[in-house]
Amino acid sequence: QKKWENKKLNSKEIGFAGEEKAAEYLKANEYSIIERNWATKDGEIDIIAKTGEILVFVEVKTLPSGNAETLLKELDTRKQKRIIKTSKCFLTKYRQYSNNYIRYDVIVIDMPGYPEVYHIENAFSELL
């Protein structure tokens, strides 16, 4: 039973519920959560986590009425560049992570036709 099926939630509440579910999923899969909703003036990263020597910047998309096309629109090149730029600010501020491998993942929550938590590792990378 999904939390928001019984009541109308606004998109911010749906997004927060999705981020909670994504964080629980990551913890259950042996990721340690370093930051949530880490923001600069230019952007925000939903979850920053670590697994082994990999620092993972996670974008969470909660799409209870979405599809693959919706996901592509939500994660267009502009959004990817903003996440990458924000991740560089994080790495500049927290130098202790500078020797880690970096990965950009997307976790899709509650998209019809997909697992409840759909984790796309290496969803995108910095365009050279």
Side-chain angles (χ1 to χ4, degrees), residues 27-88:
K27 286 180 204 165
N29 285 281
E30 300 184 9
Y31 287 74
S32 52
I33 307 294
I34 294 168
E35 290 279 349
R36 290 192 49 189
N37 305 110
W38 195 84
T40 66
K41 64 179 174 44
D42 295 319
E44 180 185 24
I45 295 174
D46 296 329
I47 300 172
I48 301 171
K50 195 165 182 243
T51 179
E53 291 301 306
I54 304 170
L55 189 66
V56 187
F57 295 95
V58 183
E59 176 67 11
V60 180
K61 288 292 171 196
T62 306
L63 301 171
S65 56
N67 57 33
E69 198 174 298
T70 313
L71 181 59
L72 285 173
K73 278 187 201 152
E74 292 274 332
L75 277 171
D76 63 7
T77 311
R78 200 176 90 241
K79 175 76 173 176
Q80 291 176 25
K81 283 181 179 169
R82 188 178 305 138
I83 292 167
I84 290 166
K85 184 177 181 184
T86 305
S87 74
K88 286 181 176 178

